[in-house]
Amino acid sequence: PEGHRGPKDDARDAWGLAEGLRIGAAKRRVYKACGPFSELRAAVRSYTMLRDDVVRTKSRLKAVYRSRGLMPPGDTPFHSEHHHAWARKLPPEQVRTAELLLEQLRVQERLWTNAEERLAAASKKEAEVKLPARAPSIGPGRAVLNVAQRGRPR
């Protein structure tokens, strides 16, 4: 904020901006029109939220094993056939926790696949995604994210 004296850091700046928004003291409003990319933005948002949820659940499941000193290699605890072998090494009270997390992971992965299909369908509708998707350093995934977040390339 203008005229602020004393220590400065991101947390204080964010607090000041949030307080300004709360009391209506914001001098400039930022508005991003829904426009032609609203479906693409919504598809990207749901895809990234579900991707983050899958990663978080996998981390929690691995943490259950690590808390007992077990270190399953790679994706082993996430596959049902290997999970049962590793779950036998857990104490009975933690087996149910691991099973619940595995069940949650299955549902989230199915939803993530649905979100991925929705994202692919939404990106096919937008011609602006095709050109940057051909660039070797960008690829189709990043092209969709860039167009959804920034709009038309100029």
Coordinates of all heavy atoms in Angstrom, one line a residue, residues 64-133:
V64 N 1.0 -43.2 5.4 CA 0.5 -44.3 6.3 C 1.6 -45.4 6.3 O 1.9 -45.9 7.4 CB -0.9 -44.9 5.8 CG1 -1.2 -46.2 6.5 CG2 -2.0 -43.8 6.0
Y65 N 2.1 -45.8 5.2 CA 3.1 -46.8 5.2 C 4.4 -46.3 5.8 O 5.1 -47.1 6.6 CB 3.4 -47.3 3.7 CG 2.3 -48.1 3.2 CD1 1.4 -47.6 2.3 CD2 2.1 -49.4 3.6 CE1 0.3 -48.4 1.8 CE2 1.0 -50.2 3.1 CZ 0.2 -49.7 2.2 OH -0.9 -50.4 1.8
R66 N 4.8 -45.1 5.5 CA 6.1 -44.6 6.1 C 6.0 -44.5 7.6 O 7.0 -44.6 8.3 CB 6.4 -43.2 5.4 CG 7.0 -43.3 4.1 CD 7.7 -42.0 3.7 NE 6.8 -40.9 3.9 CZ 6.0 -40.3 3.0 NH1 5.9 -40.9 1.8 NH2 5.2 -39.3 3.2
S67 N 4.8 -44.2 8.1 CA 4.6 -44.0 9.6 C 4.9 -45.3 10.3 O 5.2 -45.3 11.5 CB 3.2 -43.6 9.9 OG 2.3 -44.6 9.7
R68 N 4.9 -46.5 9.6 CA 5.2 -47.8 10.2 C 6.6 -48.2 9.7 O 6.9 -49.4 9.9 CB 4.1 -48.8 9.8 CG 2.8 -48.4 10.2 CD 2.6 -48.0 11.7 NE 3.1 -49.1 12.6 CZ 3.3 -49.0 13.9 NH1 3.1 -47.8 14.5 NH2 3.6 -50.0 14.6
G69 N 7.3 -47.4 9.1 CA 8.7 -47.8 8.6 C 8.7 -48.6 7.3 O 9.7 -49.2 7.0
L70 N 7.6 -48.6 6.6 CA 7.5 -49.4 5.4 C 7.7 -48.4 4.2 O 7.2 -47.3 4.2 CB 6.2 -50.1 5.2 CG 5.8 -51.0 6.3 CD1 4.3 -51.4 6.2 CD2 6.7 -52.2 6.3
M71 N 8.5 -48.9 3.2 CA 8.8 -48.0 2.1 C 8.5 -48.8 0.8 O 9.4 -49.4 0.2 CB 10.3 -47.6 2.0 CG 10.7 -46.8 3.2 SD 9.7 -45.3 3.3 CE 11.0 -44.1 3.2
P72 N 7.2 -48.9 0.4 CA 6.9 -49.6 -0.8 C 7.5 -48.8 -2.0 O 7.5 -47.6 -2.1 CB 5.3 -49.5 -0.9 CG 4.9 -48.9 0.3 CD 6.1 -48.3 1.0
P73 N 8.0 -49.6 -3.0 CA 8.6 -49.0 -4.2 C 7.6 -48.4 -5.1 O 6.6 -49.0 -5.4 CB 9.4 -50.1 -4.8 CG 8.7 -51.3 -4.4 CD 8.1 -51.1 -3.0
G74 N 7.9 -47.1 -5.6 CA 7.1 -46.5 -6.6 C 5.6 -46.4 -6.4 O 5.2 -46.0 -5.3
D75 N 4.9 -46.9 -7.4 CA 3.4 -46.9 -7.3 C 2.8 -48.1 -6.7 O 1.6 -48.3 -6.8 CB 2.8 -46.7 -8.7 CG 3.0 -45.2 -9.2 OD1 3.3 -44.4 -8.4 OD2 2.7 -45.0 -10.4
T76 N 3.6 -49.0 -6.1 CA 3.1 -50.2 -5.6 C 1.9 -50.1 -4.7 O 0.9 -50.9 -4.9 CB 4.3 -51.0 -4.8 OG1 5.4 -51.1 -5.7 CG2 3.8 -52.3 -4.4
P77 N 1.8 -49.2 -3.7 CA 0.7 -49.2 -2.8 C -0.6 -48.8 -3.5 O -1.7 -48.9 -3.0 CB 1.0 -48.3 -1.7 CG 2.1 -47.4 -2.2 CD 2.8 -48.2 -3.3
F78 N -0.5 -48.2 -4.7 CA -1.7 -47.7 -5.4 C -2.4 -48.7 -6.3 O -3.4 -48.4 -6.8 CB -1.3 -46.5 -6.2 CG -0.5 -45.5 -5.5 CD1 0.7 -44.9 -6.0 CD2 -0.8 -45.1 -4.2 CE1 1.4 -44.0 -5.3 CE2 0.0 -44.2 -3.5 CZ 1.1 -43.7 -4.0
H79 N -1.8 -49.8 -6.5 CA -2.4 -50.9 -7.3 C -3.0 -51.9 -6.4 O -2.4 -52.4 -5.4 CB -1.3 -51.6 -8.2 CG -0.7 -50.6 -9.1 ND1 -1.4 -50.0 -10.1 CD2 0.6 -50.1 -9.2 CE1 -0.6 -49.2 -10.8 NE2 0.6 -49.2 -10.3
S80 N -4.2 -52.3 -6.6 CA -5.0 -53.2 -5.7 C -4.3 -54.5 -5.5 O -4.3 -55.0 -4.3 CB -6.4 -53.4 -6.3 OG -7.1 -52.2 -6.4
E81 N -3.7 -55.1 -6.5 CA -3.1 -56.4 -6.3 C -1.9 -56.3 -5.4 O -1.6 -57.2 -4.6 CB -2.7 -57.0 -7.7 CG -1.7 -56.3 -8.5 CD -2.3 -55.2 -9.4 OE1 -3.6 -55.0 -9.3 OE2 -1.6 -54.6 -10.1
H82 N -1.1 -55.2 -5.4 CA 0.1 -55.1 -4.6 C -0.3 -54.5 -3.2 O 0.3 -54.7 -2.2 CB 1.1 -54.2 -5.2 CG 1.6 -54.7 -6.5 ND1 2.3 -55.8 -6.6 CD2 1.5 -54.2 -7.8 CE1 2.6 -56.0 -7.9 NE2 2.1 -55.0 -8.6
H83 N -1.4 -53.8 -3.2 CA -1.8 -53.1 -1.9 C -2.1 -54.1 -0.8 O -1.7 -53.9 0.3 CB -3.1 -52.2 -2.2 CG -3.7 -51.7 -0.9 ND1 -3.1 -50.7 -0.2 CD2 -4.8 -52.1 -0.3 CE1 -3.8 -50.5 0.9 NE2 -4.9 -51.3 0.9
H84 N -2.8 -55.2 -1.2 CA -3.1 -56.2 -0.2 C -1.9 -56.8 0.5 O -1.9 -57.1 1.7 CB -4.1 -57.3 -0.8 CG -5.3 -56.7 -1.2 ND1 -6.2 -56.1 -0.4 CD2 -5.9 -56.6 -2.5 CE1 -7.3 -55.7 -1.1 NE2 -7.1 -55.9 -2.3
A85 N -0.9 -57.0 -0.3 CA 0.4 -57.6 0.2 C 1.0 -56.6 1.2 O 1.5 -57.0 2.2 CB 1.3 -58.0 -0.9
W86 N 1.0 -55.3 0.8 CA 1.6 -54.3 1.7 C 0.8 -54.1 2.9 O 1.3 -53.8 4.0 CB 1.9 -53.1 0.9 CG 3.2 -53.2 0.1 CD1 3.3 -53.5 -1.2 CD2 4.5 -53.0 0.6 NE1 4.6 -53.6 -1.6 CE2 5.3 -53.2 -0.5 CE3 5.0 -52.6 1.8 CZ2 6.7 -53.1 -0.4 CZ3 6.4 -52.5 1.9 CH2 7.2 -52.8 0.8
A87 N -0.6 -54.1 2.7 CA -1.5 -53.8 3.9 C -1.3 -54.9 5.0 O -1.6 -54.5 6.1 CB -2.9 -53.8 3.4
R88 N -1.0 -56.1 4.6 CA -0.8 -57.1 5.7 C 0.4 -56.8 6.6 O 0.4 -57.3 7.7 CB -0.5 -58.5 5.0 CG -1.8 -59.2 4.6 CD -1.5 -60.5 4.0 NE -1.4 -60.2 2.6 CZ -1.0 -61.0 1.7 NH1 -0.5 -62.2 2.0 NH2 -0.9 -60.7 0.4
K89 N 1.3 -55.9 6.1 CA 2.4 -55.5 7.0 C 2.1 -54.4 8.0 O 2.9 -54.1 8.8 CB 3.6 -55.1 6.1 CG 4.1 -56.2 5.2 CD 5.2 -55.7 4.3 CE 5.6 -56.8 3.3 NZ 6.7 -56.4 2.4
L90 N 0.9 -53.8 7.8 CA 0.4 -52.7 8.6 C -0.3 -53.3 9.9 O -0.8 -54.4 9.8 CB -0.5 -51.8 7.9 CG 0.0 -50.9 6.8 CD1 -1.1 -50.2 6.1 CD2 1.0 -49.9 7.4
P91 N -0.3 -52.5 11.0 CA -1.1 -53.0 12.1 C -2.5 -52.9 11.8 O -2.9 -52.1 10.9 CB -0.7 -51.9 13.2 CG 0.3 -51.0 12.7 CD 0.5 -51.4 11.2
P92 N -3.4 -53.7 12.4 CA -4.8 -53.8 12.0 C -5.5 -52.5 12.0 O -6.4 -52.2 11.2 CB -5.4 -54.8 13.0 CG -4.2 -55.5 13.6 CD -3.0 -54.6 13.5
E93 N -5.2 -51.6 13.0 CA -5.9 -50.3 13.1 C -5.5 -49.4 11.9 O -6.3 -48.5 11.6 CB -5.6 -49.6 14.4 CG -4.2 -49.4 14.8 CD -3.5 -50.6 15.4 OE1 -4.1 -51.6 15.6 OE2 -2.3 -50.4 15.8
Q94 N -4.4 -49.6 11.2 CA -4.1 -48.8 10.1 C -4.4 -49.4 8.8 O -4.4 -48.7 7.8 CB -2.6 -48.4 10.1 CG -2.3 -47.4 11.2 CD -0.8 -46.9 11.1 OE1 0.0 -47.6 10.7 NE2 -0.6 -45.7 11.5
V95 N -4.8 -50.6 8.8 CA -5.2 -51.3 7.5 C -6.4 -50.6 7.0 O -6.5 -50.3 5.8 CB -5.4 -52.8 7.7 CG1 -6.1 -53.4 6.5 CG2 -4.1 -53.5 8.0
R96 N -7.4 -50.3 7.8 CA -8.6 -49.7 7.4 C -8.4 -48.3 6.8 O -9.0 -47.9 5.8 CB -9.7 -49.6 8.5 CG -11.0 -49.1 8.1 CD -11.7 -50.0 7.2 NE -13.0 -49.4 6.8 CZ -13.4 -49.4 5.6 NH1 -12.8 -49.9 4.6 NH2 -14.6 -48.8 5.3
T97 N -7.5 -47.6 7.4 CA -7.1 -46.2 6.9 C -6.5 -46.3 5.5 O -6.9 -45.6 4.6 CB -6.1 -45.6 7.9 OG1 -6.6 -45.5 9.2 CG2 -5.7 -44.2 7.4
A98 N -5.6 -47.3 5.3 CA -5.0 -47.5 4.0 C -6.1 -47.9 3.0 O -6.1 -47.4 1.8 CB -3.9 -48.5 4.1
E99 N -7.0 -48.7 3.4 CA -8.1 -49.1 2.5 C -9.0 -48.0 2.1 O -9.4 -47.9 0.9 CB -8.9 -50.3 3.1 CG -8.2 -51.6 3.1 CD -8.9 -52.7 3.9 OE1 -9.9 -52.4 4.6 OE2 -8.4 -53.8 3.9
L100 N -9.3 -47.1 3.1 CA -10.2 -46.0 2.8 C -9.5 -45.0 1.8 O -10.1 -44.5 0.9 CB -10.6 -45.2 4.1 CG -11.6 -45.9 5.0 CD1 -11.7 -45.2 6.3 CD2 -12.9 -46.0 4.2
L101 N -8.2 -44.8 2.1 CA -7.4 -43.9 1.2 C -7.3 -44.5 -0.2 O -7.4 -43.8 -1.2 CB -6.0 -43.6 1.8 CG -6.0 -42.7 2.9 CD1 -4.6 -42.7 3.6 CD2 -6.4 -41.3 2.5
L102 N -7.2 -45.8 -0.3 CA -7.1 -46.4 -1.6 C -8.4 -46.3 -2.4 O -8.5 -46.0 -3.6 CB -6.7 -47.9 -1.5 CG -6.4 -48.6 -2.8 CD1 -5.2 -48.0 -3.5 CD2 -6.2 -50.1 -2.6
E103 N -9.5 -46.5 -1.6 CA -10.8 -46.3 -2.2 C -11.1 -44.9 -2.7 O -11.6 -44.6 -3.8 CB -11.9 -46.7 -1.2 CG -13.3 -46.7 -1.7 CD -14.3 -47.2 -0.6 OE1 -13.9 -47.9 0.3 OE2 -15.5 -46.7 -0.7
Q104 N -10.6 -43.9 -1.9 CA -10.7 -42.5 -2.2 C -9.9 -42.3 -3.5 O -10.4 -41.5 -4.4 CB -10.2 -41.6 -1.1 CG -10.3 -40.2 -1.4 CD -9.7 -39.3 -0.3 OE1 -9.3 -39.8 0.8 NE2 -9.7 -38.0 -0.4
L105 N -8.7 -42.8 -3.6 CA -7.9 -42.7 -4.7 C -8.5 -43.2 -6.0 O -8.5 -42.6 -7.1 CB -6.5 -43.4 -4.5 CG -5.5 -43.2 -5.6 CD1 -5.1 -41.8 -5.8 CD2 -4.3 -44.1 -5.2
R106 N -9.2 -44.4 -5.9 CA -9.9 -44.9 -7.1 C -10.9 -44.0 -7.6 O -11.0 -43.8 -8.8 CB -10.5 -46.3 -6.7 CG -9.6 -47.4 -6.4 CD -8.8 -47.8 -7.6 NE -7.6 -48.6 -7.1 CZ -6.4 -48.1 -7.1 NH1 -6.1 -46.9 -7.6 NH2 -5.3 -48.8 -6.7
V107 N -11.7 -43.4 -6.7 CA -12.8 -42.5 -7.1 C -12.2 -41.3 -7.7 O -12.6 -40.8 -8.8 CB -13.7 -42.2 -5.9 CG1 -14.7 -41.1 -6.3 CG2 -14.5 -43.4 -5.5
Q108 N -11.2 -40.7 -7.1 CA -10.5 -39.5 -7.6 C -9.9 -39.7 -9.0 O -10.0 -38.9 -9.8 CB -9.5 -39.0 -6.6 CG -10.1 -38.4 -5.4 CD -9.1 -38.0 -4.4 OE1 -8.0 -38.5 -4.3 NE2 -9.5 -37.0 -3.5
E109 N -9.3 -40.9 -9.2 CA -8.7 -41.2 -10.5 C -9.7 -41.3 -11.6 O -9.5 -40.8 -12.7 CB -7.8 -42.4 -10.4 CG -6.5 -42.2 -9.7 CD -5.7 -43.5 -9.5 OE1 -6.3 -44.6 -9.5 OE2 -4.5 -43.4 -9.4
R110 N -10.9 -41.9 -11.2 CA -11.9 -42.0 -12.2 C -12.4 -40.6 -12.6 O -12.7 -40.2 -13.8 CB -13.1 -42.8 -11.7 CG -14.1 -43.2 -12.7 CD -15.1 -44.3 -12.2 NE -15.8 -43.8 -11.1 CZ -15.7 -44.3 -9.8 NH1 -14.9 -45.3 -9.6 NH2 -16.4 -43.9 -8.8
L111 N -12.6 -39.7 -11.6 CA -13.1 -38.3 -11.8 C -12.0 -37.6 -12.6 O -12.4 -36.8 -13.5 CB -13.4 -37.6 -10.5 CG -14.6 -38.2 -9.7 CD1 -14.6 -37.5 -8.4 CD2 -15.9 -37.9 -10.5
W112 N -10.8 -37.8 -12.3 CA -9.7 -37.1 -13.0 C -9.7 -37.5 -14.5 O -9.5 -36.7 -15.4 CB -8.4 -37.4 -12.3 CG -7.2 -36.7 -12.8 CD1 -7.2 -35.5 -13.4 CD2 -5.8 -37.1 -12.8 NE1 -5.9 -35.1 -13.8 CE2 -5.0 -36.1 -13.4 CE3 -5.2 -38.2 -12.3 CZ2 -3.7 -36.2 -13.5 CZ3 -3.8 -38.3 -12.4 CH2 -3.0 -37.3 -13.0
T113 N -9.9 -38.8 -14.8 CA -10.0 -39.2 -16.1 C -11.2 -38.5 -16.9 O -11.0 -38.1 -18.0 CB -10.2 -40.8 -16.2 OG1 -9.1 -41.4 -15.5 CG2 -10.3 -41.3 -17.6
N114 N -12.3 -38.4 -16.2 CA -13.4 -37.7 -16.8 C -13.1 -36.2 -17.0 O -13.5 -35.7 -18.1 CB -14.7 -37.8 -15.9 CG -15.2 -39.2 -15.7 OD1 -14.8 -40.1 -16.5 ND2 -16.1 -39.4 -14.7
A115 N -12.4 -35.6 -16.1 CA -12.0 -34.2 -16.3 C -11.0 -34.1 -17.4 O -11.0 -33.1 -18.2 CB -11.4 -33.7 -15.0
E116 N -10.1 -35.1 -17.6 CA -9.2 -35.1 -18.7 C -9.9 -35.2 -20.0 O -9.5 -34.5 -21.0 CB -8.2 -36.2 -18.5 CG -6.9 -36.1 -19.3 CD -5.9 -37.2 -18.8 OE1 -6.4 -38.3 -18.4 OE2 -4.7 -37.0 -19.0
E117 N -10.9 -36.0 -20.1 CA -11.7 -36.1 -21.3 C -12.4 -34.8 -21.6 O -12.5 -34.4 -22.8 CB -12.7 -37.3 -21.2 CG -12.0 -38.6 -21.2 CD -12.9 -39.8 -20.8 OE1 -14.1 -39.5 -20.5 OE2 -12.4 -40.9 -20.7
R118 N -13.0 -34.2 -20.6 CA -13.7 -32.9 -20.8 C -12.7 -31.9 -21.3 O -13.0 -31.1 -22.1 CB -14.3 -32.5 -19.4 CG -14.9 -31.1 -19.5 CD -15.4 -30.7 -18.1 NE -16.0 -29.3 -18.2 CZ -16.1 -28.6 -17.1 NH1 -15.7 -29.0 -16.0 NH2 -16.6 -27.4 -17.3
L119 N -11.5 -31.8 -20.7 CA -10.5 -30.9 -21.1 C -10.1 -31.1 -22.6 O -10.0 -30.1 -23.3 CB -9.3 -31.0 -20.2 CG -8.1 -30.0 -20.5 CD1 -8.6 -28.6 -20.3 CD2 -7.0 -30.3 -19.5
A120 N -9.9 -32.3 -23.0 CA -9.6 -32.6 -24.4 C -10.7 -32.2 -25.3 O -10.4 -31.6 -26.4 CB -9.3 -34.1 -24.5
A121 N -12.0 -32.4 -24.9 CA -13.1 -32.0 -25.8 C -13.2 -30.5 -25.9 O -13.4 -29.9 -26.9 CB -14.4 -32.6 -25.2
A122 N -13.0 -29.8 -24.7 CA -13.0 -28.3 -24.7 C -11.9 -27.7 -25.5 O -12.0 -26.7 -26.2 CB -13.0 -27.8 -23.3
S123 N -10.7 -28.4 -25.5 CA -9.5 -27.8 -26.2 C -9.7 -28.0 -27.7 O -9.2 -27.2 -28.5 CB -8.2 -28.4 -25.7 OG -8.2 -29.8 -26.1
K124 N -10.4 -29.1 -28.2 CA -10.6 -29.3 -29.6 C -11.5 -28.2 -30.2 O -11.4 -27.9 -31.4 CB -11.2 -30.7 -29.8 CG -10.2 -31.8 -29.7 CD -10.8 -33.1 -29.9 CE -9.8 -34.2 -29.6 NZ -10.4 -35.6 -29.7
K125 N -12.3 -27.6 -29.4 CA -13.2 -26.5 -29.9 C -12.5 -25.2 -30.2 O -13.0 -24.4 -30.9 CB -14.3 -26.3 -28.9 CG -15.3 -27.4 -28.7 CD -16.3 -27.1 -27.6 CE -17.1 -28.3 -27.2 NZ -18.0 -28.0 -26.1
E126 N -11.3 -25.1 -29.5 CA -10.6 -23.8 -29.6 C -9.5 -23.9 -30.6 O -8.5 -24.6 -30.4 CB -10.1 -23.4 -28.2 CG -11.1 -23.3 -27.2 CD -12.2 -22.2 -27.5 OE1 -11.9 -21.3 -28.2 OE2 -13.3 -22.3 -26.9
A127 N -9.5 -23.1 -31.7 CA -8.5 -23.1 -32.7 C -7.2 -22.5 -32.1 O -6.1 -22.9 -32.6 CB -8.9 -22.3 -33.9
E128 N -7.3 -21.6 -31.1 CA -6.1 -21.0 -30.6 C -5.1 -22.0 -29.9 O -4.0 -21.7 -29.6 CB -6.5 -19.9 -29.6 CG -7.0 -18.6 -30.2 CD -8.5 -18.8 -30.5 OE1 -9.1 -19.8 -30.3 OE2 -9.1 -17.8 -31.0
V129 N -5.6 -23.1 -29.5 CA -4.8 -24.1 -28.8 C -3.9 -24.9 -29.8 O -2.8 -25.3 -29.5 CB -5.7 -25.1 -28.1 CG1 -4.9 -26.3 -27.4 CG2 -6.5 -24.4 -27.0
K130 N -4.3 -25.0 -31.1 CA -3.6 -25.8 -32.0 C -2.2 -25.4 -32.4 O -1.3 -26.1 -32.4 CB -4.5 -26.0 -33.3 CG -5.7 -26.8 -33.0 CD -6.6 -26.9 -34.3 CE -7.9 -27.6 -33.9 NZ -9.0 -27.3 -34.8
L131 N -2.1 -24.1 -32.6 CA -0.8 -23.5 -33.0 C 0.3 -23.7 -31.9 O 1.3 -24.3 -32.1 CB -0.9 -22.1 -33.4 CG 0.4 -21.4 -33.8 CD1 1.0 -22.1 -35.1 CD2 0.2 -20.0 -34.1
P132 N 0.0 -23.2 -30.6 CA 1.1 -23.4 -29.6 C 1.3 -24.9 -29.2 O 2.4 -25.3 -28.8 CB 0.6 -22.6 -28.4 CG -0.8 -22.2 -28.7 CD -1.0 -22.4 -30.1
A133 N 0.3 -25.7 -29.5 CA 0.4 -27.2 -29.1 C 1.5 -27.9 -30.0 O 2.0 -28.9 -29.6 CB -0.9 -27.9 -29.3

